[in-house]
Amino acid sequence: MSFGAVAEAYERFRPGYPVELFDLVMAYAGQPVRTALEIGAGTGKATRLFAQRGLTVTATEPDGAMLAELRKHVPADVRTVQAAFEDLRPGERYGLVYAAAALHWTNPEGRWSRMAALLEPGGVFASFGGPIQLADPGVEEAVRAARAPFLDSDHVPSPDGTPPGHAMQWPGTELQRSEWFADVRQSVVGRRVTMTRHDYVGHLSTVSAYLLLPGSQREQVFGRILQVLPETVEVAADITVHLARRRSGR
């Protein structure tokens, strides 16, 4: 619920999702998908990807300010619901349920049984996202040193402790253990983005590690980072995608 204060920045500075991601999810589904439910839709970056390609999307988001920003940018037929994942009640079932850089904010207790209850038998679950990292190791090290007095790291750690080099990353690790899902797959969609140094710091202003800092410290760390950045930076923003299918027999 800390993101609402930076909803406009989130919309401006976070990159959108490429059509290759949509194609990957649809190829995995193997049949037409007509309805989708989005968990933690934010300002609708992923909502647009799916809604503009013919799916009937219900976008859920607990933060009212984020949802208000989303409504400015998505097709008019997108249904919006202000609710956390844990507050959604089973009822309508969907062909696809997905979360874009949001699943780690959900409660792990009962996560997969709740998810399965929202899916049609054989329906598809998708989770995708990943950190945005400076492509130049020298610039990355300079930013790390500038950030160090305030933050050891600005990355979100794996929710289940899976090490970064493991072949299967979270949430694929949890999905593989779940009785509700099968055919778990992990893929990566490559993404490179060039942005100005001010836009990069604008992106950092939407990252939870910085949002949780006191305001004065946040301004100090952003000032220090700006000083070590070149005018433009290239960032690696690869999207790790996890796909799984709801077991029909459950």
Side-chain angles (χ1 to χ4, degrees):
M1 295 294 289
S2 61
F3 292 104
V6 293
E8 291 186 6
Y10 198 103
E11 173 58 31
R12 177 179 174 185
F13 298 117
R14 292 250 178 157
Y17 291 99
V19 67
E20 289 84 0
L21 173 61
F22 175 84
D23 293 341
L24 180 68
V25 175
M26 293 303 109
Y28 173 88
Q31 60 185 11
V33 177
R34 295 178 176 83
T35 61
L37 176 73
E38 182 171 4
I39 305 297
T43 65
K45 296 282 186 178
T47 317
R48 276 161 270 183
L49 177 69
F50 290 91
Q52 290 172 351
R53 285 162 181 81
L55 274 69
T56 299
V57 178
T58 298
T60 69
E61 165 60 45
D63 190 294
M66 295 288 273
L67 208 55
E69 187 68 26
L70 174 147
R71 293 186 182 113
K72 299 176 186 177
H73 304 286
V74 301
D77 60 353
V78 169
R79 179 184 172 219
T80 59
V81 177
Q82 186 174 347
F85 170 60
E86 294 76 15
D87 296 328
L88 298 175
R89 294 291 171 258
E92 183 178 357
R93 290 188 169 188
Y94 301 85
L96 169 68
V97 176
Y98 67 93
L103 190 69
H104 56 285
W105 299 117
T106 62
N107 188 340
E109 186 175 349
R111 178 188 282 137
W112 300 115
S113 59
R114 278 196 298 271
M115 200 71 74
L118 297 166
L119 276 166
E120 300 167 354
V124 172
F125 169 74
S127 175
F128 43 88
I132 289 182
Q133 299 175 299
L134 290 159
D136 186 315
V139 176
E140 174 66 33
E141 174 56 27
V143 168
R144 187 204 63 75
R147 183 187 67 224
F150 305 91
L151 289 170
D152 290 333
S153 172
D154 58 8
H155 289 172
V156 177
S158 173
D160 68 351
T162 301
H166 197 272
M168 177 62 73
Q169 289 294 299
W170 185 91
T173 46
E174 283 188 13
L175 285 161
Q176 287 180 326
R177 298 191 295 267
S178 171
E179 62 185 306
W180 297 95
F181 289 90
D183 193 18
V184 180
R185 299 187 198 177
Q186 175 178 287
S187 303
V188 175
V189 176
R191 185 173 57 171
R192 291 292 184 275
V193 180
T194 300
M195 55 179 68
T196 69
R197 65 190 184 113
H198 288 282
D199 282 359
Y200 177 72
V201 172
H203 162 74
L204 294 183
S205 75
T206 72
V207 173
S208 58
Y210 297 96
L211 285 171
L212 295 175
L213 289 174
S216 59
Q217 290 188 22
R218 196 159 55 241
E219 292 307 312
Q220 286 182 66
V221 71
F222 290 157
R224 288 170 63 98
I225 290 172
L226 272 172
Q227 290 177 1
V228 302
L229 289 173
E231 285 301 313
T232 61
V233 296
E234 183 182 10
V235 297
D238 292 349
I239 306 163
T240 301
V241 186
H242 289 96
L243 296 160
R245 201 177 308 276
R246 189 198 190 282
R247 293 185 185 274
S248 299
R250 294 290 303 175

mmCIF file of all heavy atoms in Angstrom, residues 196-233:
data_model
loop_
_atom_site.group_PDB
_atom_site.id
_atom_site.type_symbol
_atom_site.label_atom_id
_atom_site.label_comp_id
_atom_site.label_asym_id
_atom_site.label_seq_id
_atom_site.Cartn_x
_atom_site.Cartn_y
_atom_site.Cartn_z
ATOM 1 N N THR A 196 17.241 8.280 -19.565
ATOM 2 C CA THR A 196 18.086 9.339 -19.019
ATOM 3 C C THR A 196 18.379 9.027 -17.550
ATOM 4 O O THR A 196 17.685 8.252 -16.911
ATOM 5 C CB THR A 196 17.398 10.708 -19.101
ATOM 6 O OG1 THR A 196 16.284 10.736 -18.187
ATOM 7 C CG2 THR A 196 16.906 10.991 -20.518
ATOM 8 N N ARG A 197 19.401 9.671 -17.036
ATOM 9 C CA ARG A 197 19.745 9.425 -15.634
ATOM 10 C C ARG A 197 18.616 9.878 -14.709
ATOM 11 O O ARG A 197 18.349 9.240 -13.687
ATOM 12 C CB ARG A 197 21.063 10.102 -15.274
ATOM 13 C CG ARG A 197 21.064 11.613 -15.327
ATOM 14 C CD ARG A 197 22.479 12.181 -15.205
ATOM 15 N NE ARG A 197 22.465 13.643 -15.173
ATOM 16 C CZ ARG A 197 22.808 14.376 -14.123
ATOM 17 N NH1 ARG A 197 23.210 13.783 -13.014
ATOM 18 N NH2 ARG A 197 22.775 15.686 -14.161
ATOM 19 N N HIS A 198 17.924 10.959 -15.079
ATOM 20 C CA HIS A 198 16.811 11.424 -14.244
ATOM 21 C C HIS A 198 15.638 10.438 -14.287
ATOM 22 O O HIS A 198 14.982 10.215 -13.268
ATOM 23 C CB HIS A 198 16.369 12.819 -14.685
ATOM 24 C CG HIS A 198 17.341 13.899 -14.316
ATOM 25 N ND1 HIS A 198 17.442 14.411 -13.039
ATOM 26 C CD2 HIS A 198 18.280 14.547 -15.062
ATOM 27 C CE1 HIS A 198 18.380 15.327 -13.005
ATOM 28 N NE2 HIS A 198 18.920 15.432 -14.220
ATOM 29 N N ASP A 199 15.404 9.848 -15.452
ATOM 30 C CA ASP A 199 14.336 8.851 -15.538
ATOM 31 C C ASP A 199 14.704 7.589 -14.755
ATOM 32 O O ASP A 199 13.834 6.938 -14.165
ATOM 33 C CB ASP A 199 14.038 8.499 -16.993
ATOM 34 C CG ASP A 199 13.190 9.571 -17.680
ATOM 35 O OD1 ASP A 199 12.821 10.562 -17.005
ATOM 36 O OD2 ASP A 199 12.907 9.418 -18.881
ATOM 37 N N TYR A 200 15.987 7.239 -14.754
ATOM 38 C CA TYR A 200 16.402 6.075 -13.970
ATOM 39 C C TYR A 200 16.167 6.318 -12.487
ATOM 40 O O TYR A 200 15.645 5.443 -11.778
ATOM 41 C CB TYR A 200 17.871 5.747 -14.230
ATOM 42 C CG TYR A 200 18.367 4.590 -13.396
ATOM 43 C CD1 TYR A 200 17.963 3.286 -13.683
ATOM 44 C CD2 TYR A 200 19.192 4.797 -12.291
ATOM 45 C CE1 TYR A 200 18.388 2.216 -12.905
ATOM 46 C CE2 TYR A 200 19.619 3.730 -11.511
ATOM 47 C CZ TYR A 200 19.207 2.448 -11.817
ATOM 48 O OH TYR A 200 19.607 1.392 -11.035
ATOM 49 N N VAL A 201 16.519 7.487 -12.010
ATOM 50 C CA VAL A 201 16.252 7.807 -10.605
ATOM 51 C C VAL A 201 14.744 7.897 -10.370
ATOM 52 O O VAL A 201 14.247 7.510 -9.308
ATOM 53 C CB VAL A 201 16.966 9.105 -10.196
ATOM 54 C CG1 VAL A 201 16.542 9.562 -8.803
ATOM 55 C CG2 VAL A 201 18.480 8.887 -10.236
ATOM 56 N N GLY A 202 14.001 8.368 -11.371
ATOM 57 C CA GLY A 202 12.539 8.340 -11.268
ATOM 58 C C GLY A 202 12.026 6.925 -11.079
ATOM 59 O O GLY A 202 11.114 6.672 -10.275
ATOM 60 N N HIS A 203 12.619 5.979 -11.803
ATOM 61 C CA HIS A 203 12.260 4.574 -11.607
ATOM 62 C C HIS A 203 12.582 4.127 -10.183
ATOM 63 O O HIS A 203 11.767 3.459 -9.535
ATOM 64 C CB HIS A 203 12.998 3.696 -12.606
ATOM 65 C CG HIS A 203 13.019 2.254 -12.215
ATOM 66 N ND1 HIS A 203 11.924 1.442 -12.315
ATOM 67 C CD2 HIS A 203 14.006 1.498 -11.669
ATOM 68 C CE1 HIS A 203 12.227 0.247 -11.853
ATOM 69 N NE2 HIS A 203 13.486 0.256 -11.454
ATOM 70 N N LEU A 204 13.764 4.491 -9.688
ATOM 71 C CA LEU A 204 14.128 4.105 -8.323
ATOM 72 C C LEU A 204 13.123 4.647 -7.305
ATOM 73 O O LEU A 204 12.887 4.015 -6.267
ATOM 74 C CB LEU A 204 15.530 4.597 -7.981
ATOM 75 C CG LEU A 204 16.701 3.985 -8.766
ATOM 76 C CD1 LEU A 204 18.016 4.548 -8.246
ATOM 77 C CD2 LEU A 204 16.696 2.468 -8.690
ATOM 78 N N SER A 205 12.520 5.781 -7.603
ATOM 79 C CA SER A 205 11.559 6.378 -6.672
ATOM 80 C C SER A 205 10.302 5.530 -6.531
ATOM 81 O O SER A 205 9.488 5.763 -5.627
ATOM 82 C CB SER A 205 11.178 7.793 -7.120
ATOM 83 O OG SER A 205 10.285 7.777 -8.223
ATOM 84 N N THR A 206 10.126 4.524 -7.414
ATOM 85 C CA THR A 206 8.965 3.630 -7.334
ATOM 86 C C THR A 206 9.324 2.264 -6.754
ATOM 87 O O THR A 206 8.478 1.369 -6.717
ATOM 88 C CB THR A 206 8.347 3.413 -8.728
ATOM 89 O OG1 THR A 206 9.204 2.575 -9.524
ATOM 90 C CG2 THR A 206 8.126 4.734 -9.449
ATOM 91 N N VAL A 207 10.575 2.087 -6.335
ATOM 92 C CA VAL A 207 11.048 0.806 -5.813
ATOM 93 C C VAL A 207 10.845 0.781 -4.297
ATOM 94 O O VAL A 207 11.180 1.738 -3.596
ATOM 95 C CB VAL A 207 12.540 0.593 -6.175
ATOM 96 C CG1 VAL A 207 13.099 -0.654 -5.497
ATOM 97 C CG2 VAL A 207 12.684 0.484 -7.699
ATOM 98 N N SER A 208 10.329 -0.320 -3.791
ATOM 99 C CA SER A 208 9.903 -0.385 -2.392
ATOM 100 C C SER A 208 11.018 -0.061 -1.408
ATOM 101 O O SER A 208 10.784 0.596 -0.379
ATOM 102 C CB SER A 208 9.316 -1.764 -2.080
ATOM 103 O OG SER A 208 10.253 -2.794 -2.350
ATOM 104 N N ALA A 209 12.244 -0.501 -1.687
ATOM 105 C CA ALA A 209 13.344 -0.248 -0.748
ATOM 106 C C ALA A 209 13.538 1.241 -0.504
ATOM 107 O O ALA A 209 13.830 1.670 0.624
ATOM 108 C CB ALA A 209 14.638 -0.864 -1.284
ATOM 109 N N TYR A 210 13.363 2.059 -1.542
ATOM 110 C CA TYR A 210 13.518 3.503 -1.394
ATOM 111 C C TYR A 210 12.259 4.132 -0.790
ATOM 112 O O TYR A 210 12.348 5.091 -0.015
ATOM 113 C CB TYR A 210 13.830 4.145 -2.748
ATOM 114 C CG TYR A 210 15.133 3.666 -3.335
ATOM 115 C CD1 TYR A 210 15.154 2.621 -4.265
ATOM 116 C CD2 TYR A 210 16.347 4.226 -2.958
ATOM 117 C CE1 TYR A 210 16.341 2.159 -4.798
ATOM 118 C CE2 TYR A 210 17.547 3.769 -3.491
ATOM 119 C CZ TYR A 210 17.536 2.735 -4.405
ATOM 120 O OH TYR A 210 18.715 2.273 -4.932
ATOM 121 N N LEU A 211 11.100 3.604 -1.145
ATOM 122 C CA LEU A 211 9.848 4.136 -0.600
ATOM 123 C C LEU A 211 9.798 4.018 0.917
ATOM 124 O O LEU A 211 9.161 4.831 1.592
ATOM 125 C CB LEU A 211 8.654 3.395 -1.211
ATOM 126 C CG LEU A 211 8.295 3.753 -2.647
ATOM 127 C CD1 LEU A 211 7.242 2.797 -3.185
ATOM 128 C CD2 LEU A 211 7.795 5.183 -2.725
ATOM 129 N N LEU A 212 10.472 3.013 1.457
ATOM 130 C CA LEU A 212 10.426 2.778 2.899
ATOM 131 C C LEU A 212 11.431 3.632 3.671
ATOM 132 O O LEU A 212 11.398 3.669 4.901
ATOM 133 C CB LEU A 212 10.658 1.293 3.192
ATOM 134 C CG LEU A 212 9.560 0.353 2.663
ATOM 135 C CD1 LEU A 212 9.937 -1.104 2.906
ATOM 136 C CD2 LEU A 212 8.218 0.667 3.301
ATOM 137 N N LEU A 213 12.324 4.324 2.959
ATOM 138 C CA LEU A 213 13.264 5.223 3.622
ATOM 139 C C LEU A 213 12.549 6.504 4.081
ATOM 140 O O LEU A 213 11.598 6.947 3.430
ATOM 141 C CB LEU A 213 14.392 5.621 2.672
ATOM 142 C CG LEU A 213 15.437 4.559 2.299
ATOM 143 C CD1 LEU A 213 16.367 5.129 1.227
ATOM 144 C CD2 LEU A 213 16.232 4.113 3.521
ATOM 145 N N PRO A 214 12.999 7.113 5.179
ATOM 146 C CA PRO A 214 12.491 8.448 5.525
ATOM 147 C C PRO A 214 12.725 9.413 4.363
ATOM 148 O O PRO A 214 13.722 9.298 3.628
ATOM 149 C CB PRO A 214 13.325 8.833 6.750
ATOM 150 C CG PRO A 214 13.806 7.533 7.315
ATOM 151 C CD PRO A 214 13.995 6.613 6.144
ATOM 152 N N GLY A 215 11.832 10.386 4.208
ATOM 153 C CA GLY A 215 11.891 11.286 3.064
ATOM 154 C C GLY A 215 13.226 11.976 2.891
ATOM 155 O O GLY A 215 13.743 12.102 1.772
ATOM 156 N N SER A 216 13.843 12.436 3.979
ATOM 157 C CA SER A 216 15.114 13.149 3.879
ATOM 158 C C SER A 216 16.224 12.235 3.372
ATOM 159 O O SER A 216 17.058 12.634 2.549
ATOM 160 C CB SER A 216 15.505 13.725 5.239
ATOM 161 O OG SER A 216 15.630 12.689 6.211
ATOM 162 N N GLN A 217 16.231 10.992 3.847
ATOM 163 C CA GLN A 217 17.237 10.040 3.368
ATOM 164 C C GLN A 217 17.009 9.691 1.905
ATOM 165 O O GLN A 217 17.966 9.515 1.134
ATOM 166 C CB GLN A 217 17.201 8.770 4.220
ATOM 167 C CG GLN A 217 17.713 8.945 5.630
ATOM 168 C CD GLN A 217 17.835 7.627 6.361
ATOM 169 O OE1 GLN A 217 17.931 6.555 5.758
ATOM 170 N NE2 GLN A 217 17.834 7.697 7.685
ATOM 171 N N ARG A 218 15.751 9.582 1.528
ATOM 172 C CA ARG A 218 15.425 9.251 0.140
ATOM 173 C C ARG A 218 15.984 10.325 -0.791
ATOM 174 O O ARG A 218 16.595 10.015 -1.829
ATOM 175 C CB ARG A 218 13.907 9.109 -0.006
ATOM 176 C CG ARG A 218 13.479 8.415 -1.276
ATOM 177 C CD ARG A 218 12.069 7.842 -1.163
ATOM 178 N NE ARG A 218 11.092 8.845 -0.787
ATOM 179 C CZ ARG A 218 10.349 8.808 0.318
ATOM 180 N NH1 ARG A 218 10.471 7.812 1.175
ATOM 181 N NH2 ARG A 218 9.461 9.749 0.570
ATOM 182 N N GLU A 219 15.805 11.591 -0.450
ATOM 183 C CA GLU A 219 16.316 12.672 -1.281
ATOM 184 C C GLU A 219 17.847 12.659 -1.314
ATOM 185 O O GLU A 219 18.459 12.899 -2.354
ATOM 186 C CB GLU A 219 15.810 14.023 -0.765
ATOM 187 C CG GLU A 219 14.304 14.216 -0.948
ATOM 188 C CD GLU A 219 13.856 13.967 -2.371
ATOM 189 O OE1 GLU A 219 14.489 14.503 -3.313
ATOM 190 O OE2 GLU A 219 12.888 13.200 -2.565
ATOM 191 N N GLN A 220 18.461 12.347 -0.192
ATOM 192 C CA GLN A 220 19.927 12.296 -0.157
ATOM 193 C C GLN A 220 20.469 11.191 -1.057
ATOM 194 O O GLN A 220 21.411 11.418 -1.827
ATOM 195 C CB GLN A 220 20.405 12.055 1.274
ATOM 196 C CG GLN A 220 20.279 13.237 2.204
ATOM 197 C CD GLN A 220 20.830 12.896 3.586
ATOM 198 O OE1 GLN A 220 22.025 12.656 3.761
ATOM 199 N NE2 GLN A 220 19.954 12.855 4.569
ATOM 200 N N VAL A 221 19.888 10.005 -0.971
ATOM 201 C CA VAL A 221 20.415 8.895 -1.767
ATOM 202 C C VAL A 221 20.181 9.141 -3.251
ATOM 203 O O VAL A 221 21.055 8.849 -4.081
ATOM 204 C CB VAL A 221 19.828 7.540 -1.301
ATOM 205 C CG1 VAL A 221 18.370 7.387 -1.652
ATOM 206 C CG2 VAL A 221 20.619 6.379 -1.914
ATOM 207 N N PHE A 222 19.044 9.729 -3.610
ATOM 208 C CA PHE A 222 18.809 10.020 -5.018
ATOM 209 C C PHE A 222 19.800 11.057 -5.525
ATOM 210 O O PHE A 222 20.291 10.963 -6.656
ATOM 211 C CB PHE A 222 17.370 10.497 -5.236
ATOM 212 C CG PHE A 222 16.334 9.419 -5.058
ATOM 213 C CD1 PHE A 222 15.026 9.753 -4.753
ATOM 214 C CD2 PHE A 222 16.658 8.086 -5.187
ATOM 215 C CE1 PHE A 222 14.058 8.770 -4.587
ATOM 216 C CE2 PHE A 222 15.710 7.085 -5.019
ATOM 217 C CZ PHE A 222 14.401 7.433 -4.710
ATOM 218 N N GLY A 223 20.116 12.037 -4.708
ATOM 219 C CA GLY A 223 21.110 13.036 -5.105
ATOM 220 C C GLY A 223 22.480 12.415 -5.314
ATOM 221 O O GLY A 223 23.184 12.740 -6.278
ATOM 222 N N ARG A 224 22.869 11.512 -4.425
ATOM 223 C CA ARG A 224 24.166 10.849 -4.552
ATOM 224 C C ARG A 224 24.212 9.976 -5.809
ATOM 225 O O ARG A 224 25.241 9.930 -6.511
ATOM 226 C CB ARG A 224 24.431 9.994 -3.313
ATOM 227 C CG ARG A 224 24.738 10.799 -2.048
ATOM 228 C CD ARG A 224 24.756 9.890 -0.831
ATOM 229 N NE ARG A 224 25.807 8.885 -0.923
ATOM 230 C CZ ARG A 224 27.002 8.980 -0.348
ATOM 231 N NH1 ARG A 224 27.302 10.055 0.369
ATOM 232 N NH2 ARG A 224 27.896 8.017 -0.475
ATOM 233 N N ILE A 225 23.122 9.281 -6.085
ATOM 234 C CA ILE A 225 23.099 8.423 -7.269
ATOM 235 C C ILE A 225 23.160 9.260 -8.547
ATOM 236 O O ILE A 225 23.889 8.913 -9.501
ATOM 237 C CB ILE A 225 21.836 7.527 -7.248
ATOM 238 C CG1 ILE A 225 21.967 6.477 -6.136
ATOM 239 C CG2 ILE A 225 21.618 6.848 -8.597
ATOM 240 C CD1 ILE A 225 20.707 5.667 -5.892
ATOM 241 N N LEU A 226 22.428 10.367 -8.585
ATOM 242 C CA LEU A 226 22.459 11.232 -9.771
ATOM 243 C C LEU A 226 23.883 11.697 -10.080
ATOM 244 O O LEU A 226 24.268 11.808 -11.245
ATOM 245 C CB LEU A 226 21.552 12.446 -9.568
ATOM 246 C CG LEU A 226 20.088 12.291 -9.952
ATOM 247 C CD1 LEU A 226 19.293 13.516 -9.506
ATOM 248 C CD2 LEU A 226 19.925 12.062 -11.448
ATOM 249 N N GLN A 227 24.663 11.944 -9.064
ATOM 250 C CA GLN A 227 26.015 12.454 -9.258
ATOM 251 C C GLN A 227 26.934 11.458 -9.949
ATOM 252 O O GLN A 227 27.902 11.859 -10.607
ATOM 253 C CB GLN A 227 26.615 12.860 -7.907
ATOM 254 C CG GLN A 227 25.990 14.101 -7.299
ATOM 255 C CD GLN A 227 26.574 14.425 -5.932
ATOM 256 O OE1 GLN A 227 27.469 13.723 -5.439
ATOM 257 N NE2 GLN A 227 26.087 15.487 -5.306
ATOM 258 N N VAL A 228 26.660 10.162 -9.818
ATOM 259 C CA VAL A 228 27.569 9.155 -10.389
ATOM 260 C C VAL A 228 27.054 8.576 -11.704
ATOM 261 O O VAL A 228 27.742 7.758 -12.324
ATOM 262 C CB VAL A 228 27.831 8.009 -9.378
ATOM 263 C CG1 VAL A 228 28.416 8.562 -8.094
ATOM 264 C CG2 VAL A 228 26.572 7.198 -9.099
ATOM 265 N N LEU A 229 25.884 8.985 -12.140
ATOM 266 C CA LEU A 229 25.319 8.442 -13.377
ATOM 267 C C LEU A 229 25.732 9.264 -14.594
ATOM 268 O O LEU A 229 25.793 10.492 -14.532
ATOM 269 C CB LEU A 229 23.787 8.425 -13.293
ATOM 270 C CG LEU A 229 23.134 7.425 -12.350
ATOM 271 C CD1 LEU A 229 21.625 7.676 -12.277
ATOM 272 C CD2 LEU A 229 23.416 5.992 -12.787
ATOM 273 N N PRO A 230 25.976 8.594 -15.728
ATOM 274 C CA PRO A 230 26.130 9.336 -16.983
ATOM 275 C C PRO A 230 24.777 9.897 -17.426
ATOM 276 O O PRO A 230 23.749 9.593 -16.833
ATOM 277 C CB PRO A 230 26.641 8.267 -17.958
ATOM 278 C CG PRO A 230 26.139 6.977 -17.397
ATOM 279 C CD PRO A 230 26.115 7.142 -15.901
ATOM 280 N N GLU A 231 24.781 10.692 -18.464
ATOM 281 C CA GLU A 231 23.539 11.338 -18.903
ATOM 282 C C GLU A 231 22.460 10.330 -19.293
ATOM 283 O O GLU A 231 21.277 10.542 -19.042
ATOM 284 C CB GLU A 231 23.819 12.289 -20.077
ATOM 285 C CG GLU A 231 24.496 13.578 -19.661
ATOM 286 C CD GLU A 231 23.690 14.375 -18.647
ATOM 287 O OE1 GLU A 231 22.474 14.550 -18.845
ATOM 288 O OE2 GLU A 231 24.281 14.811 -17.638
ATOM 289 N N THR A 232 22.875 9.236 -19.939
ATOM 290 C CA THR A 232 21.924 8.172 -20.271
ATOM 291 C C THR A 232 22.490 6.840 -19.788
ATOM 292 O O THR A 232 23.709 6.660 -19.724
ATOM 293 C CB THR A 232 21.647 8.082 -21.788
ATOM 294 O OG1 THR A 232 22.862 7.802 -22.484
ATOM 295 C CG2 THR A 232 21.030 9.372 -22.305
ATOM 296 N N VAL A 233 21.611 5.940 -19.453
ATOM 297 C CA VAL A 233 22.019 4.614 -18.990
ATOM 298 C C VAL A 233 21.214 3.550 -19.725
ATOM 299 O O VAL A 233 20.061 3.768 -20.097
ATOM 300 C CB VAL A 233 21.829 4.451 -17.464
ATOM 301 C CG1 VAL A 233 22.729 5.405 -16.699
ATOM 302 C CG2 VAL A 233 20.371 4.655 -17.063
#
